[in-house]
């Protein structure tokens, strides 16, 4: 037997050794692959959980912002209601003042017309009175001048 010659029994033994090493390696490779896959899955789960926490934080922040906006809108609506009420009261007072002004204006116009009439009568009376005074003065002067003679 040569060194290079392999007997069928030796070949079987050699194959068994190779196959047993191969099976162990395959088992180790499979275990390593499983561990690697589990590690990747754990990383993915951690990433998903971190993302979910960030999303929850953003959701809480948005809820707080929405609550703040709702409170501001309620305050604005209340202020708007108060402003509307105040404007209505002011309009009502303006209407009252306007009607009062119309009445006052009408009274002032009537009084102005009455004053014009009185002034016209007074002017007429003054003209007549001056005429009488002039007549009286003229007649008195005549009387005075005739007595001097």
């Amino acid at each position: 037997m040569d060194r290079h010659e392999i007997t069928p029994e030796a070949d079987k033994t050699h194959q068994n050794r190779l196959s047993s090493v191969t099976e162990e390696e395959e088992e180790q490779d499979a275990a390593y692959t499983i561990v690697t896959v589990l590690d990747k899955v754990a990383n993915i789960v951690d990433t998903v959980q971190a993302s979910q926490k960030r999303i929850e934080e953003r959701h809480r922040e948005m809820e707080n912002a929405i609550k703040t906006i709702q409170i501001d809108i309620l305050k604005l609506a209340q202020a708007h209601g108060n402003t509307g009420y105040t404007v209505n009261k002011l309009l009502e007072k303006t209407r009252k003042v306007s009607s009062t002004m119309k009445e006052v204006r009408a009274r002032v116009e009537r009084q102005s017309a009455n004053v014009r009439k009185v002034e016209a009568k007074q002017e007429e009376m003054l003209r007549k009175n001056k005429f009488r005074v002039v007549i009286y003065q003229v007649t008195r002067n005549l009387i005075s001048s005739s007595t001097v003679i």
Side-chain angles (χ1 to χ4, degrees):
M1 288 193 160
D2 276 349
R3 282 177 138 184
H4 296 295
E5 277 185 35
I6 300 176
T7 61
E9 285 180 20
D11 190 34
K12 283 184 183 177
T13 307
H14 182 67
Q15 281 182 349
N16 282 340
R17 281 186 195 160
L18 283 176
S19 66
S20 68
V21 168
T22 308
E23 286 177 13
E24 284 179 23
E25 286 178 1
E26 283 180 8
E27 286 176 3
Q28 286 178 353
D29 285 346
Y32 180 74
T33 304
I34 290 171
V35 168
T36 305
V37 168
L38 288 175
D39 189 42
K40 287 181 180 179
V41 168
N43 286 336
I44 291 171
V45 168
D46 289 342
T47 305
V48 167
Q49 285 177 342
S51 296
Q52 188 173 3
K53 284 182 183 178
R54 284 193 306 268
I55 289 171
E56 288 173 357
E57 286 177 24
R58 287 181 189 163
H59 185 71
R60 277 192 294 273
E61 289 173 1
M62 288 176 74
E63 283 179 348
N64 290 337
I66 288 171
K67 285 178 185 176
T68 303
I69 290 170
Q70 286 174 337
I71 289 169
D72 289 344
I73 287 174
L74 286 174
K75 287 179 183 178
L76 181 65
Q78 187 177 16
H80 180 70
N82 291 340
T83 303
Y85 178 77
T86 303
V87 166
N88 283 337
K89 287 292 182 182
L90 286 172
L91 286 173
E92 188 177 312
K93 288 181 180 181
T94 302
R95 286 185 204 110
K96 287 180 182 178
V97 167
S98 177
S99 68
T100 304
M101 287 296 295
K102 286 179 185 176
E103 291 173 7
V104 168
R105 189 173 291 133
R107 277 192 233 138
V108 166
E109 286 175 5
R110 277 183 272 157
Q111 286 178 352
S112 176
N114 288 339
V115 166
R116 277 188 241 120
K117 287 179 188 177
V118 168
E119 286 175 346
K121 286 182 183 180
Q122 187 179 9
E123 191 177 316
E124 185 181 324
M125 288 174 72
L126 282 175
R127 271 187 269 139
K128 288 181 182 177
N129 232 0
K130 284 182 184 176
F131 183 69
R132 286 185 190 159
V133 170
V134 171
I135 293 174
Y136 178 73
Q137 286 178 349
V138 170
T139 51
R140 194 167 172 203
N141 285 340
L142 288 176
I143 295 174
S144 302
S145 53
S146 57
T147 46
V148 174
I149 304 183

